Amino acid sequence: MKLIEQHLRVTAALIVREMSTRYGSKPGGYLWAVFDPVAHVAMMTLIFQAIARMPALGLSFPLFFASGYLAFTFYQRMSSFMAGTMKANKALFSYPIVSPFDAIVSRFILQVMTDALVAMLILFLIIEIGGVSQPMNYAGMIEAAGAAAVLGLGIGAINIVMFARSALYEQIFGIINRPLFMVSGVFFLPENLPEPFRSVILYNPLVHIIMWFRSAVYAEYRADGLDKGYVLEIALVCFVLGLTLLTASMRQIREDRV
């Protein structure tokens, strides 16, 4: 029990440290992490309202874009935040009381809390200001967001080790990861794509996560091709692989040899 209590105290202290180091130098501090995505959704809504007359689902452009954007950011922000865990906390690992896993847990908790707050604020603003009154399956939204966060955790854990071992891998991953925002279904419905593009894009687990999230937002959305089991399998494999790589590299991480 004392060991568990010690890890809880260390994790809580690291969460506070992460908040101050990540957001302390920015105007507005932690509030910037909340209002930046809100501003992004508002800007993209204005752009797409100028391009198209109607969204692919429903009548609200902000809700359609937010239903894709929020699901994607639960993965994207988590994976990028986790990948920098060791570099940001390297000096602390010289203390035996601080474990790399404590740093990982603290970052995961902080990012999930931040993304959840962002999602609630954006949806609240859309419902209140946009006048959206449709029923939503909040449990389904939480499930999809949780799957996205675990997938981001797994990918981020893998990249902690791989980025340190290979600069080339980091560059290749950046090239591959950059267009994901455009091809994961944030702006469109995958089932509207012609074959063979539709079948190919369904290999991307983020497409299923966004479909999962949207099916909870829109009761009329059938999400043809959605495979929740596929998402969970990929997320679990990435999570286990990430933990395995971290465990095998723990000594090198502490000794700054990775």
Side-chain angles (χ1 to χ4, degrees):
M1 290 300 296
K2 288 184 178 180
L3 185 61
I4 294 175
E5 184 180 349
Q6 173 183 297
H7 282 292
L8 290 175
R9 288 202 305 268
V10 170
T11 299
L14 287 173
I15 290 175
V16 175
R17 179 182 180 274
E18 291 287 357
M19 290 180 65
S20 61
T21 56
R22 187 180 183 189
Y23 305 110
S25 61
K26 297 180 180 179
Y30 184 71
L31 291 177
W32 180 256
V34 177
F35 288 110
D36 180 51
V38 174
H40 187 74
V41 170
M43 181 186 68
M44 296 303 297
T45 296
L46 292 175
I47 292 174
F48 277 89
Q49 279 181 328
I51 296 174
R53 293 184 177 180
M54 293 289 292
L57 273 175
L59 301 175
S60 171
F61 273 100
L63 184 61
F64 177 76
F65 178 70
S67 65
Y69 174 78
L70 293 175
F72 180 84
T73 54
F74 266 97
Y75 157 79
Q76 193 272 334
R77 285 155 62 99
M78 178 65 73
S79 63
S80 60
F81 191 37
M82 295 302 301
T85 300
M86 298 306 146
K87 291 181 181 179
N89 297 279
K90 188 175 293 185
L92 296 177
F93 298 146
S94 59
Y95 299 98
I97 195 175
V98 181
S99 164
F101 286 110
D102 292 328
I104 291 171
V105 171
S106 66
R107 284 204 159 199
F108 178 78
I109 293 173
L110 175 59
Q111 193 59 54
V112 167
M113 291 172 57
T114 302
D115 289 338
L117 180 60
V118 168
M120 288 188 292
L121 178 60
I122 289 177
L123 291 174
F124 173 79
L125 291 174
I126 291 173
I127 291 171
E128 292 299 319
I129 298 177
V132 175
S133 58
Q134 66 187 58
M136 299 182 190
N137 179 6
Y138 294 103
M141 294 162 64
I142 293 172
E143 291 171 358
V150 173
L151 178 62
L153 172 63
I155 296 294
I158 292 171
N159 287 340
I160 287 173
V161 178
M162 295 304 298
F163 284 0
R165 292 185 179 274
S166 173
L168 178 60
Y169 170 84
E170 185 172 359
Q171 293 177 350
I172 294 173
F173 181 84
I175 293 171
I176 296 173
N177 194 57
R178 206 166 292 129
L180 280 180
F181 186 74
M182 302 298 297
V183 300
S184 295
V186 175
F187 305 106
F188 59 89
L189 298 180
E191 51 267 44
N192 291 343
L193 294 177
E195 293 289 357
F197 302 107
R198 179 175 178 273
S199 297
V200 171
I201 204 173
L202 287 177
Y203 284 103
N204 178 1
L206 294 175
V207 172
H208 295 270
I209 287 173
I210 292 174
M211 294 170 69
W212 188 350
F213 195 92
R214 276 207 174 113
S215 66
V217 173
Y218 296 94
E220 70 274 17
Y221 181 43
R222 299 307 173 196
D224 294 334
L226 170 61
D227 189 344
K228 297 179 182 178
Y230 174 71
V231 174
L232 296 176
E233 288 171 5
I234 296 294
L236 181 60
V237 168
C238 291
F239 178 68
V240 172
L241 180 58
L243 286 183
T244 302
L245 288 173
L246 283 170
T247 302
S249 305
M250 193 62 64
R251 184 174 179 180
Q252 292 94 325
I253 290 172
R254 279 195 174 274
E255 297 175 358
D256 197 16
R257 291 192 286 112
V258 175

